[in-house]
Amino acid sequence: MATLKDVARLAGVSVKTVSNVVNGYEFVKPDNRRRVEEALATTGYRPNIGARNLRRGRTGSLALVLPELSIPYFGEMAGLVLEAAQEHEWNVLIEQTLGTRERERATLAALGPHMIDAAIVSPEALHSRDFDELDPGIPVVMLGEHSVDVPIDHVGIDNVRAARVATQHLIDLGRRRIAAIGAHPYRGTATQRLEGYRSALTAAGLPVRHDLIVQALNYHRRDGAEAMAHLLSLPEPPDAVFCFNDLLAIGALRAAAEHGTRVPQQVAVVGFDNNEESAYSMPSLTTIAPDKAAIAHSAVDLIRRRIKGGQELDPEDVQTPFSLEIRESTR
Amino acid sequence: MATLKDVARLAGVSVKTVSNVVNGYEFVKPDNRRRVEEALATTGYRPNIGARNLRRGRTGSLALVLPELSIPYFGEMAGLVLEAAQEHEWNVLIEQTLGTRERERATLAALGPHMIDAAIVSPEALHSRDFDELDPGIPVVMLGEHSVDVPIDHVGIDNVRAARVATQHLIDLGRRRIAAIGAHPYRGTATQRLEGYRSALTAAGLPVRHDLIVQALNYHRRDGAEAMAHLLSLPEPPDAVFCFNDLLAIGALRAAAEHGTRVPQQVAVVGFDNNEESAYSMPSLTTIAPDKAAIAHSAVDLIRRRIKGGQELDPEDVQTPFSLEIRESTR
DNA sequence: GTGAAAGCGCTAACAG
DNA sequence: CTGTTAGCGCTTTCAC
């Protein structure tokens, strides 16, 4: 592997000149430039990024910390973050936490400032004090979950409002026994979505019935199926269900079908996330569609701002747009 | 940020001793060890991985190059590769190519030996000569697509056999007009799956009907839906369809439903990949289930072998197991 | 415009 | 067992 020195020797100039050429410095004698470029070509020189970063005091990499790539929402988000980061020539190092607090914390603590310039974290189970272990020198932006008591940049949609929109849609359909699947004891987003659901019901003069609010400790398809099976076994089953993510909703659709309950005629279903698969489920799924590309770009922009502006800037909370995608499951 | 030197000064020893302690070297005078460990703790020292790697001549990172994380198969595979790599303390840097040859080639060419120790590549559109641009010093293992004429390690399932199993399953069901969706002019896996499909038909004494073989230039749900709609509009529509991946099959299921064709009664459907969503589609999807964890682990193992053994070793082709997952779409 | 040389933080000969 | 030191490949003053 050719180094700067090799190229310099071959071109008969100093490393400085080669470095100048490589880095696009303007003022290089044309003659030298030509010789250097020739030498560059014949050696097939490629800069050692590690060495460059060591010298520059940066790494050129971002960490993206998320629960699991196999979960469609995170797979899609990761892809978009990769694209957004690439626009600024960042490499992205992905870390999975599998949604356990222990691994989220360990990952956060291991985020030394030497491997990465900054991190984008999508936490699922973190407590706010876990952030104490975080190296203060490295900028972090949080996605989704929002711990208000930690002064960290955040980007996401307004979960309360989105949940209200989803629930209102079911109310507008004339549904009156509207269930919710996905309540969770400490997940912040779950709490917010539950609040939006409640406030929509209350605003419409409908009762908030606790037997129609089903907890889900995980948000996988299986959990949605179980919750829906339970709801349909009730003496008075719901005529609509708001699921706190699409996977729960997909599971719910299957449970409804197995129970012989027709969607949307007997029970309407709304999801959250707009996973790609939700446009193709049977029936296709009405869902809250966050602008994921906007989330990815905002996250990368926040990082850039933080790297430039330092840790003194006030933490920012960027709210990205969302829409309600109406499909067969409520039509 | 504390450096080795800082710690050494604080502990009143040389950097060597600190380095020894940090790297778990055994023979350190207990007294010194204690002082160093104290200094380590009070400074909160963390090694600069970049510097260490520069010195050691390695990077501690793998690249994982794939088309798109939002495609379920790749999302799932990426998650498993991350886990497998982590067992050997590798970081994983993910690069998306969006399946275009241009970006696959560019990524391959940019894979300097300075950012990564090795790469796991899941190509979609590469030509064999694109591998010429690859730095010969960096080990690469290919996933899925298999360019026989390039001497590179490969891991994947036996596509021909898997396709034969899938097709045979449909034959065993008594189906006689079995279509295929997903033929592709230069995708190697498509060619292999088509071959397996053909050979199963031929072995059963069934004709290979070209009007029942549908090309798909992309492998998304939409493409499957289009292909299925076409097949169902035929004067003599098929009584079974073998789709070359699950996304195509999911699209096909939807097209069938929209056409009022019942699955599996009128047309049975088999997919390929066993995406998580396929267990929850309506109907759930019979599919070829590659052992994805085995693929991930084999890939990482091949890399380790190659890094130890050098580029002289003969390229290896690891075939990982698969099974046929029988679900409602053929029941 | 360009060269010489220092140094980013670390590891590993080499002495002792 | 531990200290000194060279050097990984690069960028960047500072002279010239």
Side-chain angles (χ1 to χ4, degrees):
Chain A
M1 202 59 204
T3 74
L4 264 197
K5 220 200 280 187
D6 299 331
V7 180
R9 197 178 316 122
L10 184 59
V13 299
S14 79
V15 289
K16 178 65 178 19
T17 305
V18 181
S19 175
N20 281 343
V21 171
V22 169
N23 290 292
Y25 184 64
E26 229 174 330
F27 306 104
V28 177
K29 220 194 294 189
D31 188 42
N32 279 342
R33 177 182 295 279
R34 197 185 39 72
R35 308 233 307 282
V36 168
E37 273 164 356
E38 266 173 36
L40 246 27
T42 62
T43 54
Y45 171 80
R46 314 181 121 275
N48 181 326
I49 312 288
R52 171 182 292 172
N53 288 338
L54 174 59
R55 181 60 231 230
R56 284 193 181 155
R58 68 180 299 251
T59 71
S61 297
L62 294 184
L64 174 60
V65 183
L66 41 73
E68 251 186 291
L69 279 176
S70 65
I71 296 173
Y73 178 77
F74 294 112
E76 294 177 26
M77 273 308 309
L80 292 165
V81 169
L82 249 44
E83 294 298 306
Q86 183 173 277
E87 288 170 17
H88 302 286
E89 303 193 311
W90 259 310
N91 284 112
V92 179
L93 229 123
I94 300 187
E95 311 263 6
Q96 290 190 118
T97 64
L98 307 183
T100 63
R101 181 177 168 204
E102 207 26 74
R103 267 188 73 170
E104 289 186 348
R105 184 163 56 185
T107 307
L108 228 52
L111 251 38
H114 299 308
M115 291 294 305
I116 54 170
D117 295 335
I120 298 176
V121 181
S122 188
E124 198 141 82
L126 279 178
H127 290 212
S128 52
R129 68 173 167 287
D130 295 334
F131 282 87
D132 297 346
E133 306 184 40
L134 191 56
D135 192 294
I138 136 169
V140 170
V141 20
M142 304 229 319
L143 258 40
E145 286 297 338
H146 188 15
S147 302
V148 261
D149 46 343
V150 184
I152 284 188
D153 289 327
H154 173 261
V155 33
I157 71 175
D158 181 340
N159 276 290
V160 177
R161 198 159 59 80
R164 199 153 44 212
V165 167
T167 311
Q168 186 60 47
H169 172 60
L170 293 168
I171 296 170
D172 293 344
L173 251 42
R175 308 296 163 128
R176 288 300 171 262
R177 299 181 47 77
I178 301 175
I181 297 181
H184 191 283
Y186 21 84
R187 227 181 259 197
T189 48
T191 312
Q192 291 158 14
R193 290 174 196 181
L194 189 60
E195 184 189 331
Y197 159 83
R198 281 192 158 122
S199 85
L201 290 185
T202 307
L206 293 173
V208 174
R209 305 194 31 156
H210 288 278
D211 55 333
L212 292 186
I213 297 177
V214 188
Q215 279 216 1
L217 292 184
N218 287 297
Y219 274 33
H220 294 293
R221 299 176 186 85
R222 176 204 316 266
D223 309 294
E226 283 169 9
M228 185 62 144
H230 163 71
L231 284 171
L232 294 178
S233 74
L234 256 33
E236 274 193 295
D239 57 10
V241 181
F242 169 37
C243 301
F244 288 4
N245 83 352
D246 276 5
L247 291 187
L248 291 171
I250 295 286
L253 289 183
R254 171 151 273 275
E258 286 176 357
H259 189 266
T261 300
R262 303 186 55 192
V263 178
Q265 292 85 346
Q266 295 172 271
V267 59
V269 176
V270 174
F272 203 112
D273 282 351
N274 194 27
N275 295 344
E276 287 174 12
E277 84 185 79
S278 303
Y280 281 83
S281 64
M282 302 288 302
S284 59
L285 190 64
T286 294
T287 187
I288 294 288
D291 186 340
K292 296 179 195 130
I295 296 178
H297 278 106
S298 303
V300 171
D301 285 347
L302 277 183
I303 297 248
R304 282 160 44 84
R305 161 180 172 276
R306 185 62 67 181
I307 286 178
K308 276 201 214 117
Q311 298 293 5
E312 298 74 39
L313 294 174
D314 285 337
E316 206 165 318
D317 188 356
V318 176
Q319 297 217 341
T320 48
F322 67 88
S323 62
L324 177 72
E325 200 69 36
I326 299 176
R327 302 211 184 91
E328 295 164 353
S329 70
T330 63
R331 223 162 16 210
Chain B
M1 204 59 203
T3 73
L4 264 196
K5 222 200 276 188
D6 299 332
V7 180
R9 198 179 314 120
L10 183 60
V13 298
S14 78
V15 288
K16 180 63 174 32
T17 304
V18 182
S19 174
N20 281 342
V21 171
V22 169
N23 291 290
Y25 184 65
E26 228 173 331
F27 307 105
V28 177
K29 221 196 289 187
D31 189 43
N32 280 343
R33 177 181 297 279
R34 197 186 41 71
R35 308 233 307 281
V36 169
E37 274 164 356
E38 266 172 37
L40 246 26
T42 61
T43 53
Y45 172 79
R46 315 183 119 276
N48 181 325
I49 312 289
R52 173 181 289 172
N53 289 337
L54 174 59
R55 180 61 233 227
R56 285 194 181 154
R58 67 178 302 245
T59 70
S61 296
L62 294 184
L64 174 60
V65 183
L66 41 72
E68 250 186 292
L69 278 177
S70 65
I71 296 172
Y73 178 77
F74 294 112
E76 295 177 24
M77 272 308 309
L80 291 166
V81 169
L82 249 45
E83 294 299 306
Q86 184 172 276
E87 288 169 18
H88 302 287
E89 304 194 309
W90 260 308
N91 285 113
V92 179
L93 230 122
I94 300 188
E95 311 264 6
Q96 290 191 119
T97 64
L98 307 183
T100 62
R101 181 177 168 203
E102 207 27 71
R103 265 188 74 170
E104 288 186 347
R105 185 163 56 183
T107 307
L108 228 51
L111 251 39
H114 299 306
M115 291 293 304
I116 54 170
D117 295 335
I120 299 175
V121 181
S122 188
E124 200 141 82
L126 280 178
H127 290 212
S128 52
R129 68 172 167 285
D130 295 334
F131 282 88
D132 297 347
E133 306 183 41
L134 192 58
D135 192 295
I138 137 170
V140 171
V141 19
M142 305 229 318
L143 257 41
E145 287 295 338
H146 188 15
S147 302
V148 262
D149 45 344
V150 183
I152 283 188
D153 289 327
H154 172 263
V155 34
I157 70 175
D158 181 338
N159 277 289
V160 178
R161 199 159 59 80
R164 200 151 44 209
V165 167
T167 311
Q168 184 61 48
H169 171 60
L170 293 168
I171 296 171
D172 292 344
L173 250 43
R175 307 296 163 127
R176 288 299 174 262
R177 299 180 49 75
I178 302 174
I181 297 180
H184 190 283
Y186 20 85
R187 228 182 257 197
T189 50
T191 311
Q192 290 157 14
R193 290 173 196 180
L194 190 59
E195 185 189 331
Y197 158 84
R198 282 190 157 123
S199 85
L201 290 185
T202 306
L206 293 173
V208 175
R209 306 192 33 153
H210 289 276
D211 55 332
L212 292 186
I213 298 177
V214 188
Q215 278 216 1
L217 291 184
N218 287 297
Y219 274 35
H220 295 293
R221 299 177 186 83
R222 175 203 318 265
D223 309 295
E226 283 169 8
M228 187 61 144
H230 163 71
L231 285 171
L232 294 176
S233 73
L234 255 33
E236 274 192 294
D239 57 11
V241 181
F242 169 37
C243 300
F244 288 5
N245 83 354
D246 276 5
L247 292 187
L248 290 172
I250 295 286
L253 289 183
R254 170 149 273 276
E258 286 175 357
H259 189 266
T261 300
R262 304 186 54 192
V263 177
Q265 293 83 347
Q266 295 172 270
V267 60
V269 176
V270 174
F272 204 113
D273 282 350
N274 193 29
N275 295 343
E276 286 174 13
E277 84 184 81
S278 303
Y280 282 83
S281 64
M282 301 288 304
S284 59
L285 189 64
T286 294
T287 186
I288 293 289
D291 185 339
K292 296 180 194 128
I295 296 177
H297 278 105
S298 302
V300 172
D301 285 346
L302 276 184
I303 297 241
R304 282 160 44 84
R305 161 181 173 275
R306 183 64 66 182
I307 286 178
K308 276 201 213 120
Q311 298 291 8
E312 298 74 38
L313 294 174
D314 285 336
E316 207 165 315
D317 187 356
V318 176
Q319 296 218 339
T320 49
F322 66 88
S323 61
L324 177 72
E325 201 70 36
I326 299 176
R327 303 209 183 93
E328 295 163 352
S329 70
T330 64
R331 224 165 9 211

